[in-house]
Amino acid sequence: MKTDPARQSIDAALRDPQLMSAALALYENRLHDAEPLLKAHLKRDPFDVAAIRMLAELAGRIGRYPDAENLLRRALELAPAFLPVRSNLALVLYRQGRPEDAIAELDKLLEMSPEDLGAANLKAAAAGRIGDYAEAVALYEIVLKSRPAQEKIWLSYGHVLKTVGRRDDSVAAYRKAVELKPSFGEAYWSLANLKTVRFSDDELIVMQAQLERDDIAVEDRFHLDFALGKAFEERNLWEKSFCHYDDGNRLRRTLLDYDAANHSAMIARRSAQMTPDFFASRSSGHAAADPIFILGMPRAGSTLLEQILSSHSMVEGTQELPDIGMISQRVAGQTEGERGGDLCSGLEGLTEADRERIGAEYISRTRIHRKTDRPYFIDKMPNNWQHVALIQLILPNAKIIDARRHPLDCCFSNFKQHFARGQSFSYDLTELGQYYLNYVRYMQKVDEVLPGRVHRVIHEDLLDNPEQEIKDLLSYLELPFEANCLQFWQNERAVQTPSAEQVRRPINRDGVDQWKPFEAHLGPLKDALGNLWATYPSVT
């Protein structure tokens, strides 16, 4: 009879005291105890797939995903039929921002184990990440037929339905999640985040009662605070609203590792590196002109710009793509989950061949998100403003649009928003102001050394004079004017960001001056911004 390496390894592990101790340490999250035990064991037996899988799990927990991937691939070489390893590998690939690779592994897994609902659930999330929303919806519906009491799956299902514009269905999915778990803060926040749902008085009573409990998770608590902040704001109860926004932000901030001083110093170094000579001596990169980068602060109108431009017959909207940030980390010599690295030194050392290769890599990596044959596509990751120098070096023919909104409206809109991931600067008013100031100063330096390279859209100008602003934008992009861009709300494309419902309406000024009722609380934000809020849109 043919032996099963996975089964042998697991049976042996159950008889190995050292490996059992390592497993217990992993279970209790004592990673510093587990790692030496696993490495010592694998030194004695480098073919033990159970131990390899455990070491990969440890690497994944501390964010060393490339190490975890290598270990899991080694385990699969030794035991190709060990399904938990393939499941772990798919998850690691997904967390590295490689949904297409994750789907390839999940397809193999589902071929061997068609009833694996966990794999189907992860594949649904990965399908949504690459814009295959129909597949994601279908997979979630399959999973929910077998697991109708899983509130987190109802939540994920609701997110995809929202993205494709099935608003009523998404509301029903979120409400089902709340029904299954009345303390489920993220489901309440997801309803509030639709921007079109108004909670009833009875729902407010339930939400406040959940918040008064002392046994709910921290994550449920801050999500409830953000949702209640939105609910009381809609009722013009400004003090109650701000108290909940403030409580939610304070609690969320305690869970984040963000250093505002380090960020300011990093941006200052990157700004100092940008000189006319620096770019003149590095003028060649990958020749593709496909990408249109929309960048700037979150909540600054980038989704509106994307909706306008994707209504043009030559432009495809995608989503907030992580690829430039990932490439930047690698150029800086920085691995995910670890600090360090120096992007300035990394950029300095790029050869002409490097710039061409990395630009081509970006085009290749993002192709999965392009579903049409339109010649141009949008990458609207707002944080890419920090990487304009990198973009210029690797993709000198790409277009760059800076979406800018009044600093008080923009920053306070961020403060009211709980982001699913990233944007760690947004949970403190002082840090928000510092981040906005860093952004403006960096982009001012870009304008000085690369005049005309970036087209800036002032959000309020777009609201006041949309036709002229859209014509100017299309002129910068060297695209002919198309009337569809003026009727952008009729575009039925999927939209993933918090503004999804807002951009399905004609241009309006609903979001202008929303900070004013809260002005008494915004002193720290104003102080951090200096005179920027008073002189806007001028930066002098």
Side-chain angles (χ1 to χ4, degrees):
M1 178 183 293
K2 188 175 181 180
T3 59
D4 179 355
R7 184 72 262 164
Q8 284 185 324
S9 178
I10 294 168
D11 290 344
L14 293 173
R15 298 190 299 270
D16 187 318
Q18 187 177 37
L19 212 52
M20 291 300 293
S21 295
L24 179 62
L26 264 182
Y27 176 76
E28 295 176 347
N29 208 36
R30 292 184 287 109
L31 305 186
H32 59 287
D33 292 331
E35 185 169 14
L37 290 170
L38 289 168
K39 287 185 173 178
H41 177 87
L42 285 169
K43 191 172 183 179
R44 294 193 309 273
D45 183 1
F47 304 107
D48 187 334
V49 291
I52 295 171
R53 182 192 177 209
M54 291 164 65
L55 189 59
E57 181 181 341
L58 187 151
R61 287 195 198 178
I62 59 177
R64 285 161 39 190
Y65 294 124
D67 291 343
E69 179 186 347
N70 290 335
L71 287 163
L72 291 167
R73 291 196 184 281
R74 173 59 177 156
L76 280 178
E77 287 176 5
L78 296 168
F82 194 3
L83 301 188
V85 171
R86 197 170 297 279
S87 177
N88 293 154
L89 176 59
L91 183 59
V92 164
L93 292 168
Y94 178 77
R95 287 178 174 169
Q96 289 183 90
R98 293 159 58 189
E100 188 177 18
D101 292 338
I103 288 171
E105 296 300 329
L106 290 165
D107 284 342
K108 295 174 187 174
L109 183 58
L110 288 165
E111 186 178 339
M112 292 183 280
S113 180
E115 304 304 316
D116 190 331
L117 295 178
N121 189 48
L122 180 57
K123 185 179 177 182
R129 189 72 70 87
I130 63 172
D132 192 352
Y133 301 112
E135 173 79 350
V137 168
L139 285 166
Y140 280 131
E141 289 173 351
I142 289 170
V143 174
L144 285 168
K145 281 182 181 177
S146 297
R147 295 182 182 175
Q150 295 292 316
E151 71 277 357
K152 290 187 177 180
I153 300 176
W154 280 104
L155 181 78
S156 297
Y157 181 47
H159 291 339
V160 177
L161 293 170
K162 173 187 126 176
T163 297
V164 298
R166 290 171 56 183
R167 176 188 166 278
D168 291 345
D169 291 336
S170 70
V171 169
Y174 293 145
R175 292 199 188 283
K176 180 65 176 178
V178 168
E179 176 189 322
L180 291 166
K181 182 186 174 186
S183 65
F184 195 7
E186 191 174 356
Y188 287 111
W189 168 243
S190 297
L191 285 164
N193 199 31
L194 285 169
K195 318 297 185 190
T196 57
V197 171
R198 185 181 176 94
F199 291 112
S200 68
D201 291 341
D202 288 342
E203 286 175 315
L204 283 188
I205 292 170
V206 172
M207 292 161 70
Q208 291 178 94
Q210 296 301 321
L211 202 54
E212 289 170 4
R213 291 170 50 182
D214 57 10
D215 62 340
I216 67 170
V218 169
E219 186 170 308
D220 289 320
R221 188 172 296 280
F222 66 66
H223 276 113
L224 280 163
D225 270 320
F226 278 100
L228 284 165
K230 180 75 166 61
F232 285 123
E233 182 181 4
E234 289 172 343
R235 286 165 166 76
N236 297 338
L237 297 172
W238 313 119
E239 291 300 315
K240 277 190 172 183
S241 172
F242 187 83
C243 283
H244 281 290
Y245 282 138
D246 196 42
D247 286 348
N249 276 285
R250 286 178 187 275
L251 188 54
R252 184 72 178 100
R253 181 64 182 89
T254 64
L255 304 176
L256 298 168
D257 183 17
Y258 173 72
D259 189 318
N262 279 351
H263 184 263
S264 295
M266 177 190 76
I267 295 304
R269 289 194 302 273
R270 294 184 184 183
S271 296
Q273 183 182 42
M274 292 190 294
T275 65
D277 287 344
F278 177 81
F279 290 115
S281 61
R282 299 169 174 82
S283 59
S284 62
H286 188 60
D290 310 26
I292 299 170
F293 292 96
I294 302 178
L295 43 75
M297 289 287 292
R299 313 295 297 140
S302 60
T303 304
L304 175 58
L305 288 175
E306 181 186 41
Q307 190 77 345
I308 289 168
L309 290 178
S310 65
S311 299
H312 195 284
S313 63
M314 298 175 69
V315 181
E316 181 173 6
T318 59
Q319 51 186 282
E320 296 179 355
L321 305 179
D323 303 272
I324 286 291
M326 291 179 171
I327 289 171
S328 173
Q329 281 189 332
R330 197 177 70 240
V331 171
Q334 179 181 352
T335 58
E336 191 171 0
E338 296 180 357
R339 291 198 170 179
D342 183 354
L343 182 62
C344 291
S345 295
L347 295 180
E348 188 87 31
L350 292 179
T351 66
E352 181 176 348
D354 290 335
R355 299 193 299 273
E356 155 64 30
R357 173 180 50 78
I358 296 171
E361 177 195 344
Y362 171 83
I363 296 297
S364 176
R365 286 175 61 132
T366 55
R367 188 163 287 118
I368 185 65
H369 299 282
R370 302 175 70 174
K371 309 301 181 184
T372 72
D373 58 359
R374 297 183 183 189
Y376 303 102
F377 74 98
I378 297 169
D379 178 344
K380 66 171 292 290
M381 175 62 77
N383 310 71
N384 281 341
W385 68 262
Q386 302 168 94
H387 307 304
V388 168
L390 171 64
I391 293 170
Q392 174 64 18
L393 294 185
I394 65 172
L395 293 163
N397 296 319
K399 300 294 188 180
I400 303 174
I401 300 165
D402 175 11
R404 188 164 299 184
R405 184 183 178 193
H406 188 286
L408 293 179
D409 263 334
C410 184
C411 290
F412 190 59
S413 183
N414 275 271
F415 191 70
K416 297 189 299 180
Q417 181 72 41
H418 180 264
F419 295 93
R421 65 182 70 84
Q423 320 308 1
S424 300
F425 61 86
S426 68
Y427 299 100
D428 177 275
L429 288 172
T430 297
E431 292 174 347
L432 256 167
Q434 291 169 339
Y435 186 92
Y436 189 102
L437 190 62
N438 291 340
Y439 146 67
V440 168
R441 287 174 173 170
Y442 181 92
M443 296 307 295
Q444 187 176 15
K445 184 65 179 294
V446 171
D447 291 343
E448 291 173 6
V449 300
L450 296 170
R453 180 70 179 88
V454 174
H455 180 80
R456 184 160 296 110
V457 177
I458 301 300
H459 183 63
E460 295 75 16
D461 290 347
L462 178 62
L463 301 185
D464 291 339
N465 192 2
E467 184 168 350
Q468 187 57 52
E469 290 295 317
I470 291 169
K471 286 180 176 178
D472 290 346
L473 177 57
L474 293 174
S475 176
Y476 163 75
L477 296 173
E478 301 178 271
L479 295 174
F481 175 76
E482 292 183 2
N484 282 346
C485 295
L486 298 177
Q487 281 83 44
F488 61 86
W489 64 89
Q490 297 175 3
N491 187 337
E492 296 182 355
R493 61 178 288 271
V495 183
Q496 283 195 322
T497 65
S499 303
E501 291 303 313
Q502 293 164 306
V503 299
R504 293 187 172 113
R505 297 184 294 147
I507 279 180
N508 59 80
R509 298 183 61 83
D510 292 355
V512 176
D513 291 339
Q514 287 190 352
W515 61 273
K516 286 189 174 179
F518 300 91
E519 186 171 10
H521 300 285
L522 302 185
L525 175 58
K526 288 184 174 181
D527 290 344
L529 287 167
N531 68 345
L532 272 184
W533 69 272
T535 63
Y536 176 84
S538 171
V539 297
T540 57

